[in-house]
Amino acid sequence: MRKNTIGLILLIALIAAWSFVVGHAVRSLESPGNEAASSVTTSIRPTERVPGILAAVNEYRSTKHLSPLVLNDKLNSSSQAKAHDLVTSQYWSHIAPDGQTPWDFIQGAGYDYQTAGENLAKCYDSADTVVTAWIASPTHQAVLVADYADAGFGLQHNDRDNCDYVVGHFGTTLR
C-alpha cells in the first residue's frame, strides 16, 4: 500500500514539475520582509515560517470537510531544507539535480511517513495567493486535499531572481 501511495504522489509531483516546464507552473511567495521568516528556530513549539499559510490551507480544507493540518517541526525542517536547496543549487523542480526527491528531504528530517507530498511556489506576494495558486492547479490541489495530518513550510529568498521560494511538505506519520 505504501509503495502505491508513494508512486501516486511521485506521479503527481512529476506532473506538477512538467506543468512548470510547459509554462503552467505556479509562481511563488514574494513578500517584503519575509527573509527573517526563513531563519531556523529551535523552539519547542513549531513556528510558521510562512505567516498565514497554514491557516489558508486549513481554511480551504474546511470547505472540503477535511480535518485541519497540524504544523510539524520535522516537516518545517524538511521544507526549509528543500527551499534552501532550490535556491543554493539554482533549480525549480520537485526532483533536485542530484536526484534527491521530496521524500529524501522529508525522511532526512526524521519524519517517518505513511504518505507524504510536496507543493512548491515562487514569486507570490502573500500566503493567500500561494494557496490560491495551489488550489487552481489540479496536481497541487490534490496535495492540499489528500489524507494528511501534518504540514510544514519553508521559505527562502533567492537574490538572483528576487523571489521568495515556498515549499510545503505534507504528511501522515507511520502508525
Side-chain angles (χ1 to χ4, degrees):
M1 178 70 176
R2 180 177 170 180
K3 193 173 192 177
N4 288 340
T5 302
I6 292 170
L8 178 60
I9 293 170
L10 182 56
L11 177 61
I12 290 169
L14 290 173
I15 290 169
W18 175 250
S19 70
F20 177 80
V21 171
V22 295
H24 298 289
V26 295
R27 297 177 36 190
S28 137
L29 181 65
E30 173 184 280
S31 181
N34 276 346
E35 285 101 330
S38 67
S39 64
V40 177
T41 60
T42 57
S43 64
I44 294 172
R45 249 179 80 199
T47 57
E48 195 171 19
R49 290 189 175 100
V50 184
I53 198 163
L54 181 64
V57 167
N58 282 336
E59 183 179 335
Y60 178 68
R61 286 176 60 87
S62 75
T63 68
K64 303 296 181 188
H65 308 288
L66 299 169
S67 299
L69 299 174
V70 175
L71 199 59
N72 180 281
D73 262 338
K74 291 177 182 177
L75 291 177
N76 269 350
S77 294
S78 66
S79 60
Q80 185 60 43
K82 174 65 178 268
H84 179 77
D85 194 57
L86 285 167
V87 171
T88 58
S89 298
Q90 291 301 298
Y91 68 97
W92 182 247
S93 175
H94 292 282
I95 309 299
D98 65 3
Q100 285 190 91
T101 67
W103 303 277
D104 294 325
F105 286 95
I106 292 167
Q107 288 177 324
Y111 188 86
D112 295 321
Y113 63 89
Q114 178 179 347
T115 58
E118 174 181 80
N119 276 350
L120 306 176
K122 67 177 182 172
C123 300
Y124 280 97
D125 61 3
S126 71
D128 286 336
T129 57
V130 168
V131 174
T132 298
W134 285 345
I135 292 167
S137 165
T139 54
H140 293 88
Q141 189 267 353
V143 172
L144 295 178
V145 299
D147 189 23
Y148 296 130
D150 304 314
F153 303 95
L155 173 69
Q156 188 73 38
H157 184 76
N158 187 342
D159 290 330
R160 290 185 178 117
D161 62 6
N162 197 31
C163 283
D164 288 336
Y165 286 46
V166 176
V167 176
H169 281 170
F170 305 86
T172 300
T173 57
L174 289 172
R175 293 179 185 153

